């Protein structure tokens, strides 16, 4: 038999909720580690007094009783685990694992038995339910009943708030009241915090960020009392999960953070962290309210009766001794400015992110602590508002995502190296390596997407290669079409010659500056209309090598028949959708195999393309196309010239209204500033009236 037994997916019952984690039996201890909070509960083997195997809601469970009065319940075992665990207990713990059946009759009357810290309600000597008295917050009595109230647990969807027991009057001893006796048995083991006795020490007017305000902190042997102007909080030391001492970025202040589980409550608000802010320059002289022998016996040299030093050092030292937990400080990380933290924003509030040796902690509103073991992956994303900052995203194994935004771009290299050294999974690692870790500045300006995906970037690169291959096929034919300044100028000039009014005015030689300014606008208009005619679809060369397929398309062609056989009657679109889902689920090794095939196909295509071009492929088609287009252009020019000449002769012969006299041109120039000459150009009759009404001064000025 091995020295240890380990079980995964085991649930521990705490105040009505089941916390999943991992349970390990060893020769010295029984250890349970909570998967969500990372809290470790350890039971010494020498303290075990009783062990029971029971059928419970999630299968089979074990109840362990210790000599210190604590009850531990674990659920999620299989029926086949009984023999293995029973033999291990007999061999190493000297405790017999007994099988105990629960009462399932559903009766609500029976016998209440107090077994140490446990109230057991039994029906026919079988327990129907059990109440840990440590979960009781208050006990009240009535005429013939006792009301038991419980601590509320925020992790449960439904919390049991109170239970009422009817206690029938007895005809025995007249001096004893059974109701009061029941209540005293409950209160003797209940977790009812009462501030009795003197405090070990008191810290006055400490600045607290969460909950906000200034509080007097009274240190008692078993709990911490926060006394403020509005609210009071009593925090048992058993609820303290972790302690943190963090330097502020300005190097003049210190944060002292106390992690709580369960949190303290104020109405509907829950405070999972108690954050105190200290100035490094503030000192204090502290005297404990205990004699020296008692201090030595209780704290074993961790504290002295008389102490002095910085205020934050005294508070952290006292809390460490009373809670008996280590204080976590920042590790070797240093940001761009030399500080051990990074300025960022979380939920639209600015704060500080501290990379620790085993996790991240953000202070202060709201505080967040994330351990490395609960992090699934991290992601470096482009800032949503500016390229001078980036976002740091953390995704947990439970599916929660935390985004720390507005981090300065200079912090990127330090943070990436830290995450890489801690061997955390980086979601967009492929993108970072492709761009190169040196190009931090260009990383933000070149990227178009806020969310980077290594596979998506790889597909984009393949798309660019295909586009370049297309451009290389038709590059010769496209060069003459895209830009030919000489031909464009000729075409534009000829088009304007076809306009009678424009050609005549230019031939007369009396054009004004304003008329010249108007012409370029018309010129741009005609160029814009002619552009779409040039964008003609190019004919593909059938003899050219075919472009290579990507890894996904190679896999799809090989798997299409299998998909059809597994899903009879599936449509073409559904095949593509199903194939996409299957491709995402394929393992990394399998994808690398298809990517290797795609790479080989790409090399073969490049080799064939070189041979094709060396043999003169693609040149004949482009030259024919070029000659055809040039010939078409020349014919079109001839048509426009002949057509334009006929129109000129026709207009001169008929003498239509489109002809404008010199007087009209000069009058149009003089009145252009006020009316812009719009109405005069639309109707011929209006033009004649304007000629008659032109003052002599304008005529003489035009001559």
């Amino acid at each position: 038999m091995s020295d240890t037994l380990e079980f995964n997916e085991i649930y521990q019952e705490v105040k009505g909720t089941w916390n999943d984690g991992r349970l390990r039996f060893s020769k010295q201890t029984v250890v349970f580690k909570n998967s969500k909070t990372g809290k470790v509960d350890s039971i010494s083997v020498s303290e075990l007094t009783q062990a029971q195997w029971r059928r419970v809601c999630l299968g089979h469970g074990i109840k362990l009783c210790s000599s210190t009065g604590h009850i531990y319940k674990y659920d999620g075992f299989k029926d086949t685990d009984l023999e293995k665990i029973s033999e291990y207990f007999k061999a190493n713990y000297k405790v017999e694992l007994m099988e105990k059946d629960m009462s399932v009759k559903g009766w609500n009357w029976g016998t209440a038995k107090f077994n140490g810290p446990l109230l057991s309600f039994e029906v026919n000597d079988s327990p129907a339910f059990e109440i840990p008295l440590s979960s009781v917050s208050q006990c009240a009595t009535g005429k013939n009943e006792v009301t038991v109230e419980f601590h509320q647990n925020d992790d449960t969807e439904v919390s049991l708030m109170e239970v009422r027991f009817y206690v029938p009057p007895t005809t025995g001893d007249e001096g004893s009241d059974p109701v009061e006796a029941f209540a005293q048995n409950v209160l003797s083991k209940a977790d009812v915090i009462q501030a009795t006795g003197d405090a070990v020490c008191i810290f006055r007017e400490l600045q607290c960020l969460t909950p906000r305000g200034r509080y007097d902190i009274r240190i008692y042997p078993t709990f911490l009392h926060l006394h403020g102007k509005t609210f009071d909080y009593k925090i048992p030391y058993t609820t303290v999960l972790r302690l943190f001492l963090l330097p502020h970025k300005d190097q003049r202040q210190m944060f002292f953070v106390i992690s709580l589980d369960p949190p303290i409550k104020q109405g509907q608000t829950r405070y999972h962290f108690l954050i105190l802010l200290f100035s490094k320059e503030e000192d204090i002289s502290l005297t404990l309210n205990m004699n020296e022998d008692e201090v030595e016996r209780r704290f074993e040299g961790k504290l002295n009766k008389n102490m002095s030093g910085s205020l934050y050092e005294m508070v952290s030292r006292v809390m460490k001794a009373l809670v008996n937990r280590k204080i976590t400080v920042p590790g070797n990380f240093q940001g761009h400015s030399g500080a051990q933290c990074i300025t960022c924003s979380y939920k639209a509030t600015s704060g500080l992110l501290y990379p620790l040796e085993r996790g991240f902690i953000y202070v202060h509103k709201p505080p967040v602590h994330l351990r490395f073991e609960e992090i699934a992956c991290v992601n470096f994303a482009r800032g949503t508002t500016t390229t001078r900052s980036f976002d740091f995203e953390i995704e947990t194994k439970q599916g929660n995502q935390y985004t720390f935004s507005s981090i300065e771009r200079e912090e990127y290299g330090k943070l990436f190296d830290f995450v890489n050294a801690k061997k955390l999974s980086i979601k967009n690692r492929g993108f970072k390596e492709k761009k190169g870790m040196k190009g931090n500045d260009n990383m933000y300006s070149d990227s178009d997407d806020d969310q980077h995906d290594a596979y998506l970037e790889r597909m984009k690169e393949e798309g660019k290669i295909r586009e370049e291959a297309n451009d290389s096929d038709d590059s010769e034919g496209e060069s003459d079409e895209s830009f030919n300044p000489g031909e464009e100028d000729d075409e534009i000039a000829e088009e304007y010659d076809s306009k009678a009014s424009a050609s005549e005015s230019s031939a007369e030689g009396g054009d004004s500056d304003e008329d010249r300014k108007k012409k370029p606008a018309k010129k741009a208009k005609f160029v814009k209309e002619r552009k779409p005619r040039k964008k003609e679809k190019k004919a593909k060369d059938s003899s050219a090598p075919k472009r290579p397929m990507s890894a996904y398309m190679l896999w799809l062609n090989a798997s299409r028949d299998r998909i059809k056989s597994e899903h009879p009657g599936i449509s073409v679109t559904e095949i593509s959708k199903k194939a996409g889902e299957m491709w995402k689920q394929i393992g990394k090794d399998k994808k690398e195999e298809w990517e290797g095939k795609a790479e080989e196909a790409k090399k073969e295509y490049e080799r064939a393309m070189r041979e094709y071009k060396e043999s003169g492929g693609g040149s004949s088609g482009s030259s024919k196309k070029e000659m055809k287009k040039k010939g078409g252009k020349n014919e079109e020019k001839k048509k426009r010239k002949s057509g334009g000449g006929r129109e000129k002769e026709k207009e001169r012969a008929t003498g239509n209204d489109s002809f404008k006299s010199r007087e009209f041109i000069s009058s149009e120039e003089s009145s252009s500033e006020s009316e812009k000459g719009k109405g005069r150009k639309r109707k011929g009759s209006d033009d004649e009236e304007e000629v008659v009404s032109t003052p002599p001064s304008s005529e003489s000025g035009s001559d």
Side-chain angles (χ1 to χ4, degrees):
M1 182 179 293
S2 61
D3 294 339
T4 60
L5 284 179
E6 287 196 16
F7 298 92
N8 296 321
E9 297 183 4
I10 300 298
Y11 298 85
Q12 182 187 37
E13 193 272 331
V14 179
K15 293 182 181 179
T17 185
W18 294 99
N19 298 327
D20 65 311
R22 188 169 70 250
L23 181 66
R24 183 180 67 191
F25 296 106
S26 65
K27 292 184 178 180
Q28 290 79 24
T29 56
V30 177
V31 180
F32 178 83
K33 186 171 185 179
N34 192 321
S35 298
K36 182 179 180 181
T37 63
K39 186 178 181 181
V40 177
D41 290 328
S42 181
I43 312 168
S44 178
V45 172
S46 59
E47 296 177 357
L48 291 179
T49 58
Q50 187 181 6
Q52 290 183 0
W53 177 272
R54 307 184 298 179
R55 179 69 182 269
V56 285
C57 57
L58 298 177
H60 293 81
I62 291 178
K63 185 181 81 169
L64 301 177
C65 303
S66 67
S67 58
T68 57
H70 291 88
I71 304 295
Y72 303 92
K73 296 179 182 179
Y74 303 103
D75 197 351
F77 295 97
K78 299 177 182 178
D79 191 13
T80 55
D81 296 332
L82 172 60
E83 184 178 354
K84 180 169 52 176
I85 298 174
S86 179
E87 292 178 359
Y88 189 87
F89 273 39
K90 287 180 182 179
N92 298 286
Y93 297 166
K94 310 300 181 186
V95 176
E96 184 179 356
L97 185 63
M98 300 181 296
E99 293 188 59
K100 186 74 174 179
D101 294 330
M102 304 291 290
S103 176
V104 292
K105 289 186 176 182
W107 292 2
N108 64 340
W109 66 91
T111 305
K113 292 184 179 181
F114 292 91
N115 299 322
L118 205 64
L119 169 59
S120 177
F121 187 81
E122 297 183 355
V123 178
N124 294 339
D125 295 331
S126 295
F129 63 86
E130 295 173 339
I131 298 175
L133 296 179
S134 60
S135 300
V136 176
S137 63
Q138 194 54 263
C139 181
T141 59
K143 185 178 180 181
N144 287 320
E145 68 178 17
V146 178
T147 303
V148 179
E149 297 179 4
F150 303 98
H151 292 290
Q152 186 178 356
N153 190 352
D154 295 326
D155 294 333
T156 58
E157 296 181 0
V158 179
S159 295
L160 178 63
M161 299 304 298
E162 69 174 34
V163 173
R164 295 187 180 185
F165 294 94
Y166 172 77
V167 183
T170 59
T171 57
D173 298 335
E174 295 180 359
S176 62
D177 185 0
V179 174
E180 289 294 334
F182 190 98
Q184 289 300 322
N185 286 329
V186 172
L187 289 173
S188 63
K189 301 293 184 181
D191 186 15
V192 181
I193 300 176
Q194 297 178 353
T196 58
D198 296 330
V200 175
C201 60
I202 301 176
F203 298 99
R204 302 284 184 183
E205 292 291 321
L206 296 185
Q207 183 181 356
C208 193
L209 299 181
T210 55
R212 186 178 177 184
R214 288 193 172 269
Y215 290 85
D216 292 342
I217 297 183
R218 294 182 171 90
I219 306 293
Y220 288 90
T222 58
F223 66 94
L224 182 72
H225 183 201
L226 268 69
H227 177 68
K229 294 181 179 179
T230 309
F231 303 111
D232 280 10
Y233 303 97
K234 296 183 179 71
I235 305 173
Y237 295 141
T238 55
T239 64
V240 175
L241 198 59
R242 291 178 183 85
L243 302 173
F244 302 91
L245 188 61
L246 309 170
H248 197 279
K249 193 171 185 178
D250 59 9
Q251 302 298 325
R252 293 181 295 177
Q253 301 179 94
M254 296 290 291
F255 291 111
F256 184 63
V257 184
I258 303 174
S259 175
L260 303 173
D261 183 38
I264 56 177
K265 313 176 188 67
Q266 183 56 54
Q268 296 299 319
T269 307
R270 303 291 181 266
Y271 298 104
H272 292 269
F273 293 88
L274 177 66
I275 302 180
L276 302 172
L277 182 62
F278 299 97
S279 173
K280 284 187 175 183
E281 299 175 355
E282 191 172 358
D283 297 333
I284 189 176
S285 296
L286 186 65
T287 302
L288 301 183
N289 190 17
M290 303 171 67
N291 57 51
E292 293 184 359
D293 295 338
E294 191 175 356
V295 171
E296 182 65 28
R297 184 179 67 255
R298 174 160 188 155
F299 300 114
E300 299 176 353
K302 296 177 182 178
L303 297 177
N304 300 322
K305 180 175 175 61
N306 298 308
M307 297 180 292
S308 62
S310 299
L311 179 58
Y312 74 89
E313 290 181 353
M314 293 297 101
V315 174
S316 59
R317 186 175 174 184
V318 171
M319 287 298 299
K320 180 181 179 181
L322 288 167
V323 178
N324 197 22
R325 292 192 181 277
K326 296 180 180 179
I327 296 179
T328 303
V329 296
N332 299 326
F333 175 81
Q334 277 195 343
H336 176 71
S337 61
Q340 293 178 298
C341 57
I342 296 173
T343 303
C344 62
S345 297
Y346 176 63
K347 292 187 176 180
T349 305
S350 180
L352 299 173
L353 179 67
Y354 289 85
L356 308 174
E357 288 300 317
R358 296 185 180 180
F360 295 96
I361 186 169
Y362 172 82
V363 290
H364 78 287
K365 195 174 182 181
V368 178
H369 179 233
L370 299 168
R371 294 171 291 114
F372 290 155
E373 59 190 42
E374 63 178 331
I375 294 176
C377 62
V378 299
N379 182 34
F380 293 88
R382 176 180 175 179
T384 55
T385 57
T386 176
T387 57
R388 295 190 62 82
S389 65
F390 67 96
D391 297 348
F392 182 56
E393 301 170 353
I394 300 177
E395 186 175 338
T396 64
K397 294 177 181 177
Q398 285 80 20
N400 301 322
Q401 184 167 335
Y402 300 86
T403 302
F404 302 97
S405 58
S406 302
I407 303 176
E408 294 180 357
R409 188 169 56 184
E410 290 77 13
E411 303 284 2
Y412 171 78
K414 299 280 187 179
L415 186 58
F416 184 88
D417 292 342
F418 175 82
V419 171
N420 206 25
K422 297 300 179 183
K423 299 181 180 179
L424 296 177
S425 174
I426 301 175
K427 193 173 183 180
N428 53 347
R429 178 183 293 273
F431 175 80
K432 302 297 174 189
E433 292 177 353
K434 189 182 300 178
K435 291 290 182 184
M437 301 316 302
K438 297 180 181 178
N440 296 340
D441 297 343
N442 297 330
M443 178 185 69
Y444 305 97
S445 58
D446 293 343
S447 62
D448 294 329
D449 300 329
D450 289 340
Q451 184 177 1
H452 305 300
D453 187 7
Y455 173 72
L456 180 62
E457 295 298 329
R458 202 159 53 243
M459 296 300 292
K460 286 182 179 179
E461 289 295 329
E462 293 180 4
K464 289 180 181 178
I465 294 171
R466 292 176 191 160
E467 289 176 3
E468 291 172 1
N470 282 340
D471 295 341
S472 64
D473 291 345
D474 302 320
S475 59
E476 296 178 5
E478 209 171 355
S479 60
D480 291 335
E481 283 187 69
S482 59
F483 183 69
N484 197 338
E487 290 186 7
E488 286 182 359
D489 293 339
D490 294 343
E491 291 170 4
I492 294 166
E494 289 168 3
E495 287 179 16
Y496 281 100
D497 288 343
S498 63
K499 295 270 185 181
S501 60
S503 61
E504 287 296 323
S505 59
S506 61
E508 292 286 338
D511 289 4
S512 63
D513 294 337
E514 189 174 342
D515 290 334
R516 291 193 201 95
K517 291 178 182 177
K518 291 178 182 178
K519 287 180 182 180
K522 294 180 181 179
K523 180 179 178 181
K525 180 180 177 183
F526 280 92
V527 172
K528 188 174 182 181
E529 291 176 357
R530 288 178 56 83
K531 275 186 178 179
R533 183 177 61 82
K534 292 183 179 181
K535 294 182 179 179
E536 298 177 0
K537 191 173 181 181
K538 286 80 182 175
K540 292 186 178 180
D541 190 353
S542 58
S543 60
K546 292 185 178 180
R547 291 188 298 273
M549 288 187 288
S550 63
Y552 169 73
M553 292 304 299
L554 290 172
W555 171 84
L556 178 60
N557 290 341
S559 306
R560 185 178 279 108
D561 295 337
R562 178 169 59 86
I563 296 173
K564 286 182 179 180
S565 61
E566 292 177 356
H567 304 83
I570 190 170
S571 64
V572 177
T573 56
E574 290 174 348
I575 289 176
S576 302
K577 185 177 179 181
K578 188 68 179 176
E581 294 174 357
M582 294 172 65
W583 178 254
K584 289 180 181 179
Q585 298 174 358
I586 288 178
K588 184 178 179 181
D589 298 339
K590 195 71 175 176
K591 283 186 178 180
E592 288 179 353
E593 178 185 343
W594 289 102
E595 287 169 0
K597 293 181 180 179
E599 189 66 24
E600 292 177 1
K602 178 183 172 184
K603 292 178 181 178
E604 180 65 23
Y605 167 76
E606 292 174 351
R607 184 188 61 78
M609 198 67 188
R610 284 195 300 269
E611 295 177 356
Y612 172 72
K613 288 183 177 181
E614 289 173 359
S615 62
S619 59
S620 59
S622 60
S623 60
K624 288 179 182 179
K625 192 190 303 181
E626 185 179 346
M627 292 173 63
K628 183 179 179 181
K629 288 184 178 178
K630 285 186 177 180
K633 286 181 182 178
N634 294 332
E635 290 177 4
E636 195 172 342
K637 288 178 186 177
K638 291 178 182 179
K639 288 181 181 178
R640 282 202 301 270
K641 285 182 179 179
S642 60
R646 292 192 196 100
E647 288 178 2
K648 290 176 186 177
E649 293 174 0
K650 189 176 180 181
E651 288 174 357
R652 287 171 182 167
T654 56
N656 58 4
D657 293 340
S658 63
F659 177 78
K660 297 180 182 179
S661 65
R662 176 178 289 183
E663 289 83 359
F664 174 79
I665 295 171
S666 61
S667 64
E668 182 182 4
E669 180 181 355
S670 63
S671 61
S672 60
E673 293 182 1
S674 59
E675 297 181 0
K676 303 297 181 181
K678 292 181 181 178
R680 302 187 189 94
K681 295 181 182 180
R682 293 176 182 171
K683 296 181 181 179
S685 60
D686 294 343
D687 295 346
E688 294 174 0
E689 290 177 9
E690 287 293 324
V691 172
V692 173
S693 61
T694 303
S697 60
S698 63
E699 293 181 9
S700 60
S702 61
D703 295 332

